């Protein structure tokens, strides 16, 4: 029996406490993901929660910071796995593939933060592992992406002032171009969580 799993990747407070959150394209990401979670549960799909950790770094992703937790409004229910990763994709440093095997998962729906980073990388790896992948771009979030030569400690103002910076929209578009037809099918939130029509 084949089954679908919804992956919620890194929708965590770690991002909200960073300066770049002020320019995130989807500040309502928890609500967007929440719609997918509600639909997945109603369909009997598996929901898997993924949190990114960087132990010992002293950053917002260090578990000691207290920020490595789901954004308020998102809450796993009993039986929904919550896993932590230290790599960009949700497979390499976790037992995610084992969880999928145990639950008979063959299709994966990807949502979360950041669109072009952990979400895209997870989608690519999932595809290479043989899963049918759906990428819900609307239920991912990202920020403007600085040119690689800009210093890592550049301020948000410096990033936005640099003409080489890619807007969140441009980053998102590039991810869709790279994934569609190769690694994933692009779907909308409404595709997967259609609002019932009241009579």
């Amino acid at each position: 029996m084949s089954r679908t799993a919804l992956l919620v990747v890194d929708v965590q407070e770690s991002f909200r406490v960073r300066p770049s959150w002020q320019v995130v394209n989807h500040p309502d990401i928890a609500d967007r993901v929440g719609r997918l979670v509600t639909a997945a549960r109603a369909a009997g799909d598996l929901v898997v929660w993924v949190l990114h950790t960087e132990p010992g770094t002293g950053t917002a992703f260090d578990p000691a910071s207290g920020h490595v937790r789901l954004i308020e409004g998102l809450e796993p229910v009993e039986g929904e796995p919550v896993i932590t990763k230290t790599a960009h994709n949700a497979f390499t440093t976790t037992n995610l593939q084992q969880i999928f095997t145990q639950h008979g998962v063959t299709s994966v729906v990807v949502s979360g933060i950041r669109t072009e980073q952990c979400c895209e990388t997870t989608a690519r790896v999932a595809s290479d592992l043989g899963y049918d992948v759906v990428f819900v771009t609307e239920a991912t979030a990202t920020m403007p992406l600085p040119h690689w030569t800009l210093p890592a400690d550049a301020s948000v103002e410096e990033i936005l002032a640099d003409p080489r910076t890619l807007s969140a929209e441009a980053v998102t578009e590039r991810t869709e171009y790279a994934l569609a037809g190769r690694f994933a099918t692009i779907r909308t939130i409404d595709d997967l969580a259609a609002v019932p029509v009241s009579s």
Side-chain angles (χ1 to χ4, degrees):
M1 176 181 160
S2 63
R3 191 177 184 192
T4 297
L6 169 64
L7 272 181
V8 180
V9 180
D10 303 351
V11 185
Q12 62 196 73
E13 291 290 344
S14 309
F15 285 104
R16 296 215 308 169
V17 298
R18 301 169 88 197
S20 59
W21 187 257
Q22 63 187 291
V23 291
V24 71
N25 63 341
H26 295 148
D28 62 340
I29 184 63
D31 293 336
R32 291 167 180 256
V33 167
R35 287 186 61 202
L36 291 183
V37 170
T38 298
R41 288 171 178 165
D45 296 341
L46 179 68
V47 178
V48 180
W49 305 86
V50 185
L51 294 169
H52 186 75
T53 64
E54 297 173 359
T57 60
T59 69
F61 294 93
D62 187 332
S65 71
H67 300 304
V68 181
R69 64 184 194 277
L70 294 169
I71 289 177
E72 189 175 350
L74 295 176
E75 190 72 42
V77 298
E78 188 176 349
E80 293 178 350
V82 180
I83 61 176
T84 58
K85 65 180 178 61
T86 55
H88 287 118
N89 78 81
F91 290 93
T92 306
T93 59
T94 72
N95 65 336
L96 181 59
Q97 193 172 8
Q98 181 183 2
I99 290 170
F100 282 176
T101 299
Q102 290 171 345
H103 289 271
V105 170
T106 57
S107 300
V108 181
V109 177
V110 178
S111 65
I113 308 173
R114 298 177 50 159
T115 308
E116 81 290 354
Q117 194 161 303
C118 295
C119 295
E120 180 178 335
T121 310
T122 294
R124 288 170 177 259
V125 174
S127 175
D128 280 353
L129 290 173
Y131 297 100
D132 180 41
V133 182
V134 169
F135 196 86
V136 189
T137 316
E138 286 181 336
T140 67
T142 194
M143 302 85 175
L145 192 64
H147 191 267
W148 58 271
T149 58
L150 208 62
D153 60 353
S155 68
V156 171
E157 291 73 25
E158 289 170 325
I159 292 170
L160 295 179
D162 188 334
R164 301 170 300 174
T165 293
L166 293 179
S167 67
E169 291 71 29
V171 171
T172 298
E173 182 181 63
R174 283 165 169 77
T175 290
E176 290 186 334
Y177 268 82
L179 292 179
R182 298 178 180 90
F183 301 99
T185 301
I186 310 298
R187 303 283 295 278
T188 67
I189 296 172
D190 282 345
D191 286 341
L192 302 179
V195 179
V197 178
S198 55
S199 53

